[in-house]
Amino acid sequence: MFKSITGATAVTAAGVLLLAGCTSTGSTSSQPGSAISPGASHKATTVTVWTFNHLPNEVAAFKATLDRLHAKYPWLTVKFVPNKDDAAYAKAVAAGDPPDVFISSTPDNVAKFCYNGTVSDLSPYLSSAKIDTAKTFPPATLVYTRYKSKQCALPLLTDAFALYYNKKMFAAAGITKPPTTLAELTADAKKLTVKNADGSIKTYGFVPRSDYDVNRYLFVGAHSGTEFYGKDGRTTFASDPKWQQLLAWDKDLIDYYGTANVQKFVGRYQPHADDAGNPLLTGAAAMEYDGEWHVGEIATEKKDFDYGVVPMPVLDGSSGTYGAGSTLGTVAYLSAGSKHKQEAFFALQQLTTDTTFLNTLADTVYNIPTTFAALKAWDKRDDPHWKPFVDIFENTHSSYKTLTAAGIEDMDTWRAFLLDYEQGRTKDAASGLATVGKKIDSLNSESGQ
């Protein structure tokens, strides 16, 4: 079973507490803030790299690259430790024994780790190594690896999100082209809905509920012409009416199916979002919002399935943003407490810029490479199912929300509100948006944002 790089690790309540209290062990002042010269002689050094990756094929891809690195530079040995999440990393930092490099499945804590000194600003090392980030990495990746003026992490593969649709069902319903606006999506979803003789729902056109699969990324701004945070750093939920319009679209479709029916759908199919029981593959849904890794899953689970992939429709009135989308991915940190920063950065640099490794790992985990060079060399970039995701990733309007020192807590708070609204516990959208906006602004203020 293949998993999203951004959804592979859940941050538990205990993990959030660890992250909230995480403080750096501090940098070693005697260490130069510059990159090493690969051609010079070096003292034998061992650095430790932790990653969230844990599946055998993922681990094998990493080890093969690290073995090549050691063969080329015998003085550098990398101790590779898989299956580590943000909470484990924060605990190691708090104990004063962090890995030299940590690779996380999600960028949500980039700003937190950067603000509290857990990770190093990579800018001096990148400058010394003559790596121009703007010429090396697509702009969407820089949104989720920077905090204010600091380059707090480097990207290592990414996710993009799009609309998958069943071509056979579209033809049977007389729909000749995929939707480009949310109003069109709703109309198509209703045409595609099929009921059983007893009135129960056999096929859902589209289920938007925010806690199903990766639907949460429908609600961060890329598909509604909104910004999660304004230029003043505060949430825009109360000031931008498009948020109410987005919630109205969401609730209208949920109400069409019935809250109880949608609850059953989520309960039944959430465990199968990434396997052969996926509702798009079984015929229980005609459309779904998903990441690029699903292309690989479909090729594995149901290779003859006839489907299309297009950018996610946008809120009516936001047509200028059609083609863009939410993009976020794996991030690689250099620990501030590393005792071998130069050598650790060298290893991090190889992992995040080596074209062979990036494309091998992308093929292994069904994600998108994160350098211009790797994308140009990637044999999947023109595949009809992969190309829409590459186009979304390279779209200049694609991005993730602004990261804050509160870390993942702002998204956790937002997701809790969305679910309360969708399940009817919050009745008034305007009032609810204003309240959750204040909560998130307070979280950011308390975190030092």
Side-chain angles (χ1 to χ4, degrees):
M1 181 172 65
F2 306 98
K3 300 294 287 184
S4 150
I5 59 174
T6 56
T9 305
V11 177
T12 64
V16 169
L17 289 175
L18 279 169
L19 294 171
C22 177
T23 55
S24 169
T25 56
S27 60
T28 303
S29 59
S30 60
Q31 295 188 65
S34 59
I36 59 177
S37 172
S41 60
H42 295 278
K43 179 181 178 181
T45 305
T46 297
V47 298
T48 301
V49 174
W50 282 12
T51 182
F52 73 95
N53 300 88
H54 65 284
L55 296 178
N57 56 347
E58 300 171 359
V59 172
F62 271 97
K63 286 186 174 179
T65 293
L66 295 173
D67 286 346
R68 283 195 297 112
L69 184 61
H70 180 67
K72 188 173 182 179
Y73 304 102
W75 56 267
L76 180 64
T77 299
V78 176
K79 180 182 178 183
F80 182 71
V81 183
N83 202 24
K84 296 289 187 177
D85 61 15
D86 283 25
Y89 178 58
K91 187 175 182 179
V93 170
D97 188 26
D100 298 287
V101 172
F102 172 55
I103 300 168
S104 172
S105 67
T106 172
D108 284 285
N109 287 310
V110 165
K112 176 186 281 289
F113 288 156
C114 203
Y115 175 79
N116 66 20
T118 294
V119 300
S120 296
D121 179 5
L122 300 175
S123 302
Y125 298 95
L126 291 163
S127 178
S128 177
K130 295 181 171 52
I131 297 175
D132 185 336
T133 54
K135 293 181 180 179
T136 305
F137 306 103
T141 66
L142 301 179
V143 172
Y144 62 78
T145 54
R146 285 177 175 169
Y147 176 61
K148 296 186 175 179
S149 62
K150 295 181 179 181
Q151 186 69 47
C152 308
L154 290 180
L156 177 59
L157 302 191
T158 199
D159 286 332
F161 303 91
L163 183 73
Y164 288 73
Y165 66 98
N166 184 315
K167 288 186 175 181
K168 184 177 180 179
M169 288 183 177
F170 264 58
I175 303 172
T176 58
K177 62 183 182 65
T180 60
T181 70
L182 293 182
E184 291 175 356
L185 175 64
T186 295
D188 289 346
K190 292 178 179 179
K191 289 180 184 177
L192 291 160
T193 297
V194 178
K195 293 187 177 182
N196 294 307
D198 63 0
S200 61
I201 300 173
K202 178 182 179 181
T203 300
Y204 290 76
F206 182 83
V207 175
R209 210 172 80 172
S210 60
D211 63 332
Y212 176 67
D213 199 10
V214 296
N215 283 356
R216 58 192 177 277
Y217 298 120
L218 289 171
F219 302 92
V220 292
H223 306 299
S224 50
T226 54
E227 296 286 345
F228 203 90
Y229 293 109
K231 292 181 179 179
D232 61 357
R234 301 180 68 82
T235 56
T236 65
F237 304 137
S239 59
D240 189 341
K242 287 182 180 178
W243 288 110
Q244 289 188 51
Q245 296 171 32
L246 181 64
L247 293 190
W249 162 78
D250 178 30
K251 196 66 165 60
D252 174 69
L253 205 42
I254 290 173
D255 289 346
Y256 173 75
Y257 293 118
T259 303
N261 286 330
V262 171
Q263 179 64 42
K264 290 178 182 178
F265 178 94
V266 173
R268 179 176 180 180
Y269 293 109
Q270 186 72 298
H272 302 289
D274 293 310
D275 63 25
N278 174 271
L280 186 73
L281 300 186
T282 62
M287 296 181 282
E288 70 180 1
Y289 179 70
D290 216 328
E292 78 295 328
W293 64 89
H294 201 34
V295 174
E297 293 168 350
I298 293 173
T300 300
E301 304 291 354
K302 198 173 182 178
K303 64 181 180 180
D304 295 326
F305 182 58
D306 189 15
Y307 70 102
V309 180
V310 292
M312 181 65 195
V314 296
L315 187 68
D316 295 67
S318 304
S319 58
T321 61
Y322 181 72
S326 292
T327 51
L328 65 157
T330 293
V331 293
Y333 300 106
L334 173 63
S335 295
S338 167
K339 295 178 175 62
H340 306 286
K341 283 187 178 179
Q342 285 186 309
E343 295 84 358
F345 173 77
F346 185 68
L348 185 154
Q349 174 188 341
Q350 307 310 309
L351 290 173
T352 56
T353 62
D354 181 87
T355 292
T356 299
F357 171 62
L358 290 173
N359 287 355
T360 298
L361 189 61
D363 288 344
T364 299
V365 300
Y366 299 136
N367 292 148
I368 301 171
T370 36
T371 67
F372 288 118
L375 280 167
K376 184 177 180 180
W378 199 35
D379 61 359
K380 288 185 174 62
R381 68 166 294 123
D382 293 321
D383 178 275
H385 291 132
W386 283 98
K387 188 177 187 303
F389 291 104
V390 175
D391 290 344
I392 290 167
F393 177 48
E394 294 182 329
N395 189 299
T396 56
H397 296 292
S398 293
S399 69
Y400 189 40
K401 69 172 185 63
T402 300
L403 302 178
T404 76
I408 201 169
E409 292 176 72
D410 62 350
M411 270 298 282
D412 286 344
T413 303
W414 176 236
R415 291 172 65 184
F417 159 73
L418 288 172
L419 192 57
D420 279 347
Y421 176 74
E422 290 168 329
Q423 294 186 326
R425 290 188 290 270
T426 296
K427 303 292 185 183
D428 186 290
S431 174
L433 284 165
T435 299
V436 73
K438 288 179 181 178
K439 285 183 180 179
I440 293 174
D441 289 337
S442 293
L443 278 173
N444 289 328
S445 179
E446 291 167 4
S447 67
Q449 179 71 13

